Amino acid sequence: MQTNITDEMLLINKAAKGDSWAFEQLVNKYEARLYSVALRMCGNREDAQDCLQDAMLRIYRSLDRFKGQSAFSTWAYRITMNTCLDELRRRRSRAATSLDALLETGWDPAAETVTPEDAAISAEQRRELEAAIADLPEDMRSAIILREMHDMTYEEISEALDTNIGTVKSRISRGRERLRQLINGRPGLFGDDE
Amino acid sequence: MIENLECRRMRNRLNAYLDNELSASEKAEMERHAAECPECARMLGEYKSIHAMLGELDRDIAVPEEASRAWRAAVRDEAETRKRKGKAHTLRIAGSSIAAALVLMIGMTTVYRGLNLPSAAANNGTAGYRSELKLTADTAVPEESFAADYDDMAAAFEEPAFEFAESASMKSAFLESDGQANADAGAGSLTPVIAHSAERTIETQDLDACLDELDAIAAAYDGRFEYRRMTEPQDSGDTRKMEAVIRLPGENLEAFLDEVDTTGTVVSKAEFAEDISADYYGNTAKLATLEAQEERLNALLKEAETLEAVLDLEDKIYKVQYEKDEIEAAIADSANSTGYSGVTLTVNEVHFPQAAADTVPSLGERAGSAFRDSLRWVSLFLQDMVVALAAFWPLLILAVLVIAVICTIVHYSRKRRGRL
């Protein structure tokens, strides 16, 4: 663990000086997680790809300001989340996009990820869940994603979202309840029809 | 009622239950209630399902290859751009520094020159300085009648060449003394006595060599320096200057001047011919009269019988002798001029010689001269710059430090603004 932290700091120092190879080595292990955040916040693959690219560039440019005040992963999550929130604000200024509107354009949430045969959740469940997440208000969505999907602690989430722990707990609580209501509105997710 | 309280407590603890923040007993209590309350059991089940499904949703998510390639390419481009900007920035800094240093150096040199401080170019004697050597020449027309040496000429005038009483006698006596024939004794025409002189102003870039040459020329033509003065420069803008008067036999004047003109660039020349006949003949006649008068007064003095007569005659003799001295001095001046030429010479040492007084340079010569002058100016300026650097190096270091601090502050403030 100590060696990993030291290696990570060495890569950070090199990347901060402009070494793009060092940067790629540094963020390789976080790439999937950051993409997941972008995908769930933006709700579609194209926007997620753009957000991921923007987030990576921001992380690369800001490396010389990272002084170890938090874990690098937490810092990277924060930049990625901010990038996604910026994109959502821009999207809001263009047009309100609801899940139904997205679906009308042919967007298929299930196409974002492949569901293996022996997956813990079915494709149907995945589809419903992704739609419910996309329907959450942004503040709840961000807290839920980091807590439920990335298993971050309340302290880490408060750092990533730049808010206090009380607010984080409130958003998570309300987000879970809202998800339950949304999912209850979509029959079949909990197997009610069975 | 109790059931509602339990249900409410269960709902309040749901998040803590999911986040594993409950103690084992609290957890057991909730599960116990769920077993008894279908509604709470359903709620707990839904929460747990959502919690589990969310945990699984992106557990094995794969980043699309296109997305992965895109951000990596973007980062590499960013790195390349940063390298190029870094090099450009370094070049800009270096260029700005060099430009600032040049401006500082030129400014310092200009200030330095303006203060008229001594410069290396002014003191090493290698650049040219202006000096003037003037030679004046006076010649008398009756060349052959007078000896080359002044003493001989003065002695020759101790005996009057003619008597004053009649102009014809004056003329014949003069002609007899100088050997020239003029049969028209009654015509009243005398041979004019002309004093010739000359002036030269010469420029040279090597004053010392020029003066050596002039000394040799003067010696070759039996000339001697009657007067010589050297002026050293007082300020960096001044130049050396030589002024002199040379006397030489009149017959050598023309040849002497021809050789003098080759020692440098003649920027001005003049030759004068002054008719001193009236003074010359008049003074000689006056002298004869005064001597005759003195002789008569001395004869009368010998025959004087009274003291009063003796005193009166001695007083008159004294006055006559005084006038004689004055006339003899005037004749001596004329004798000094006769047979000898006086040349007033001014030699100026210059950086950039002017064109010769009697030549009109062609366009090519002017262009070539201007180009050479500009090269010399650049050379002198660079020399002054080196001296100015030696004189102002503390100020220069201070200025460089101040500029470096300002550039650093500007650079970091721009960087900070770029991040915001």
Side-chain angles (χ1 to χ4, degrees):
Chain A
M1 183 63 173
Q2 191 63 30
T3 306
N4 287 339
I5 292 173
T6 305
D7 291 342
E8 190 170 85
M9 284 310 298
L10 284 172
L11 288 172
I12 289 170
N13 289 335
K14 277 189 177 180
K17 292 172 186 168
D19 188 339
S20 60
W21 178 88
F23 179 76
E24 289 181 38
Q25 299 303 306
L26 174 67
V27 300
N28 270 342
K29 60 184 175 185
Y30 303 114
E31 184 187 17
R33 284 181 259 176
L34 297 181
Y35 176 72
S36 164
V37 168
L39 181 63
R40 299 307 165 200
M41 284 301 294
C42 296
N44 68 81
R45 189 171 174 165
E46 284 73 27
D47 287 345
Q49 181 172 326
D50 292 340
C51 281
L52 179 65
Q53 181 175 319
D54 290 343
M56 290 297 193
L57 280 173
R58 283 194 193 184
I59 294 169
Y60 178 68
R61 288 169 187 158
S62 309
L63 267 177
D64 56 342
R65 279 183 288 164
F66 177 72
K67 304 296 179 193
Q69 58 271 34
S70 63
F72 176 77
S73 59
T74 307
W75 185 71
Y77 271 116
R78 177 172 174 170
I79 293 178
T80 305
M81 191 60 74
N82 286 338
T83 306
C84 296
L85 290 171
D86 289 343
E87 171 60 25
L88 291 172
R89 274 187 224 111
R90 276 195 293 273
R91 196 193 291 174
R92 269 203 306 277
S93 67
R94 289 197 294 270
T97 307
S98 67
L99 174 61
D100 293 330
L102 277 172
L103 288 172
E104 283 172 8
T105 62
W107 172 68
D108 182 4
E112 303 303 329
T113 54
V114 175
T115 307
E117 289 293 328
D118 58 349
I121 54 176
S122 67
E124 176 70 22
Q125 286 173 319
R126 177 180 293 280
R127 200 165 25 248
E128 293 296 337
L129 199 54
E130 285 170 349
I133 292 168
D135 240 5
L136 282 176
E138 289 168 13
D139 58 341
M140 294 181 202
R141 194 189 320 160
S142 58
I144 288 290
I145 288 170
L146 294 179
R147 182 71 192 98
E148 302 288 31
M149 299 177 68
H150 294 274
D151 206 25
M152 289 175 73
T153 66
Y154 283 115
E155 288 78 14
E156 289 170 340
I157 296 171
S158 73
E159 281 183 44
L161 298 181
D162 194 24
T163 189
N164 59 62
I165 290 179
T167 304
V168 171
K169 284 187 175 179
S170 168
R171 289 179 185 176
I172 290 172
S173 173
R174 289 184 292 121
R176 283 169 174 161
E177 177 57 26
R178 186 67 175 272
L179 268 178
R180 192 176 73 86
Q181 290 169 10
L182 285 169
I183 290 169
N184 270 336
R186 291 179 167 77
L189 188 61
F190 294 124
D192 292 345
D193 293 340
E194 296 177 2
Chain B
M1 194 63 161
I2 294 175
E3 191 176 348
N4 287 336
L5 280 172
E6 288 289 327
C7 294
R8 200 175 301 127
R9 190 186 298 175
M10 172 135 180
R11 279 195 294 278
N12 290 339
R13 287 179 174 178
L14 274 171
N15 286 294
Y17 178 90
L18 293 173
D19 293 332
N20 290 318
E21 290 178 353
L22 295 178
S23 64
S25 62
E26 287 170 330
K27 205 170 174 183
E29 187 183 336
M30 277 187 68
E31 287 167 354
R32 232 184 353 263
H33 174 74
E36 295 168 359
C37 176
E39 187 58 30
C40 288
R42 189 179 67 81
M43 189 189 302
L44 182 62
E46 287 171 355
Y47 265 84
K48 284 168 76 174
S49 290
I50 293 170
H51 180 75
M53 284 190 290
L54 286 173
E56 289 296 320
L57 188 62
D58 283 344
R59 186 177 296 281
D60 297 319
I61 190 170
V63 181
E65 199 173 320
E66 182 187 336
S68 187
R69 266 203 307 270
W71 75 258
R72 287 170 201 277
V75 168
R76 283 174 204 150
D77 287 345
E78 177 80 8
E80 283 301 314
T81 302
R82 201 186 281 190
K83 269 188 199 169
R84 277 198 306 272
K85 280 186 180 174
K87 283 180 189 169
H89 178 68
T90 304
L91 283 173
R92 265 201 307 275
I93 293 288
S96 302
S97 301
I98 290 170
L102 276 175
V103 168
L104 269 174
M105 289 299 303
I106 291 171
M108 270 189 338
T109 307
T110 306
V111 168
Y112 173 79
R113 282 180 157 199
L115 292 175
N116 289 324
L117 295 173
S119 72
N123 285 333
N124 64 9
T126 57
Y129 286 90
R130 180 182 291 272
S131 63
E132 290 182 347
L133 181 63
K134 283 186 180 175
L135 303 175
T136 57
D138 297 310
T139 57
V141 169
E143 298 173 0
E144 297 177 2
S145 64
F146 302 106
D149 184 76
Y150 166 71
D151 293 336
D152 292 338
M153 286 191 294
F157 276 98
E158 287 175 3
E159 296 179 3
F162 53 85
E163 291 186 3
F164 179 72
E166 296 176 20
S167 63
S169 301
M170 284 168 57
K171 175 188 169 187
S172 62
F174 174 72
L175 291 176
E176 185 180 346
S177 71
D178 68 10
Q180 292 184 22
N182 190 333
D184 188 9
S189 62
L190 295 171
T191 303
V193 178
I194 308 296
H196 288 270
S197 63
E199 291 182 358
R200 286 290 188 273
T201 301
I202 292 174
E203 287 186 348
T204 179
Q205 288 183 283
D206 189 346
L207 178 64
D208 298 314
C210 180
L211 294 181
D212 289 342
E213 216 173 329
L214 286 167
D215 286 341
I217 295 169
Y221 289 100
D222 295 328
R224 54 182 173 78
F225 281 84
E226 188 174 272
Y227 166 79
R228 189 167 182 152
R229 180 181 176 220
M230 188 79 168
T231 305
E232 295 293 334
Q234 300 300 311
D235 298 315
S236 65
D238 292 345
T239 55
R240 282 194 301 168
K241 180 178 172 177
M242 175 72 167
E243 296 168 295
V245 174
I246 295 178
R247 291 217 176 268
L248 75 163
E251 64 269 21
N252 296 339
L253 176 64
E254 190 175 339
F256 174 79
L257 290 175
D258 286 342
E259 290 215 28
V260 164
D261 290 349
T262 65
T263 61
T265 304
V266 178
V267 293
S268 74
K269 61 165 82 173
E271 290 178 18
F272 307 98
E274 185 185 0
D275 188 346
I276 60 169
S277 304
D279 286 341
Y280 180 84
Y281 293 125
N283 288 333
T284 306
K286 281 182 191 173
L287 182 64
T289 303
L290 288 169
E291 285 175 344
Q293 196 173 359
E294 186 184 14
E295 193 177 335
R296 280 200 290 276
L297 286 170
N298 282 326
L300 287 172
L301 183 64
K302 285 179 186 173
E303 295 171 2
E305 293 178 350
T306 63
L307 178 61
E308 186 180 349
V310 168
L311 291 174
D312 182 52
L313 284 169
E314 283 182 348
D315 184 55
K316 285 190 170 77
I317 289 170
Y318 173 77
K319 285 179 183 172
V320 167
Q321 283 176 339
Y322 180 76
E323 282 187 56
K324 266 182 63 181
D325 289 340
E326 286 192 339
I327 295 296
E328 281 173 348
I331 291 171
D333 281 342
S334 298
N336 196 29
S337 301
T338 58
Y340 272 78
S341 299
V343 179
T344 303
L345 186 63
T346 305
V347 180
N348 294 315
E349 196 169 16
V350 295
H351 294 282
F352 310 112
Q354 299 176 23
D358 58 354
T359 61
V360 179
S362 66
L363 176 62
E365 287 172 345
R366 286 165 56 200
S369 175
F371 181 73
R372 285 191 296 275
D373 289 349
S374 68
L375 285 178
R376 287 191 206 101
W377 185 90
V378 169
S379 169
L380 286 172
F381 189 87
L382 290 174
Q383 290 178 45
D384 283 346
M385 188 183 284
V386 171
V387 178
L389 179 63
F392 293 132
W393 66 266
L395 284 176
L396 183 62
I397 288 176
L398 182 65
V400 166
L401 286 173
V402 168
I403 290 171
V405 166
I406 292 172
C407 287
T408 305
I409 291 171
V410 168
H411 171 68
Y412 279 110
S413 71
R414 277 185 185 166
K415 213 173 170 182
R416 220 175 9 253
R417 273 202 303 275
R419 288 174 191 161
L420 288 175

